[in-house]
Amino acid sequence: MQLKEVVDLRSDTVSLPTKEMLQAIQHAELGDDVYGEDPTVNKLEQMAAERTGKEAALLVASGTMANLTSTMSNAKRGELVILESQSHMYWYEAGGVSAIAGLLPWPVKTSYGVFSPEDLEAAIRPRNIHFPEPTLVCVENTHNRHGGTIATPKQLSEIGDVAQAHGLRVYMDGARIFNAAVALKTDVKEFTKHVDNFMFCLSKGLSCPIGSLVVGTQDFIERARRVRKVLGGGMRQAGVIAAPGIIALETMVNRLEEDHKNAKLLAEGIAKIERLNVDMERVQTNMILVDTTPLGVTDSLFVSQLKEEGILVSLVGKDKVRLVTHRGIEKEHIERSLTAIARVASKLHRDN
Ligand code: TLP
């Protein structure tokens, strides 16, 4: 019996490098990046800064390292960082923001992942000897746990105004900022100009095997370079990581639109299946959150039954499952997934 190809919708992080990327790795011009001598890294860092309208950039190993390096370069131990209560930095980074950066995270709840100027204003307490000094506001764009929702340039500008009025910096976890830019058909600079510094990931929808870039002013990047060293992230012939990154920036950004179209198709199909709910307002980029509450079974059962059908999805909370489209997921995979999801949903309901 021929095994069916698995449809992996757990994350865009599972996307594999292209042939061109693997060839670029093989032929990359290399040097020791701790000495600043890797020409491929230098080229990528310069490209990233230019593309996003900032002065400088720094290649790091992962999105988590980018967030930690950035928070440590923006704020000192004992200070306070305001972030969204479902943010990746708060949920998924093993507590690094407090355990390593030594900051007090101050989570703010939102409906769709972006705080309103009023939410933010309310979270900023007056300076007082009892309170930690607030230094930093973090936004996530697109917002992972809210289902790939976008913080628009207008929203970022409003957040920036409030932060500036209180002397706070704004940092953006822009792991998927190119998804936001492509979805709104807006230059990425329209987003980045409202934040002091930010990061984006190469290893998600852009299909690279490794790497993220921290981007900001020259001063900030100099501090970040030192923090990266403290964290053990100074890399040597890192051109092998940078080479596919260059290809990604040159050729992989516009195709994110395909992932968004596929996500919409998948979401619309799931929304039609009985006892599965999708909040279509959240389907703005390449993610879909499915509410399985009406099925009345545990989510892990739904996920494991789908796995038996060759469809991989991830659990993101009680009664909430996440599906992510990416390069390698085509229309035929969407159709296969929809058939399997409908079959599993009706079987679970029947057996329940
Ligand atoms: N997110 C991963 C998991 O960790 C949940 C995923 O599959 O989506 N910021 C955001 C907004 C992210 O979504 C992620 C990864 C990161 C940072 C961290 O990036 P990595 O995994 O490279 O450390």
Side-chain angles (χ1 to χ4, degrees), residues 19 71 77 143 319 332:
K19 268 202 195 102
T71 42
R77 296 183 73 77
H143 197 297
D319 302 322
E332 77 210 51

Side-chain angles (χ1 to χ4, degrees), residues 2-17:
Q2 207 191 345
L3 281 177
K4 266 196 191 162
E5 184 196 352
V6 165
V7 181
D8 195 344
L9 299 166
R10 286 172 302 169
S11 182
D12 45 10
T13 58
V14 304
S15 57
L16 296 174

Side-chain angles (χ1 to χ4, degrees), residues 10-13 61-65 67 88-89 92-93 140-144 173-176 199 201 203-204 211-212 287 322 324:
R10 286 172 302 169
S11 182
D12 45 10
T13 58
S62 66
T64 302
M65 187 182 254
N67 282 339
H88 196 277
M89 279 173 60
Y92 291 128
E93 299 188 4
E140 188 171 309
N141 208 4
T142 62
H143 197 297
N144 185 340
D173 171 349
R176 298 182 177 84
M199 71 87 158
C201 291
S203 57
K204 302 203 161 50
S212 291
M287 293 187 187
R322 184 185 77 164
V324 187

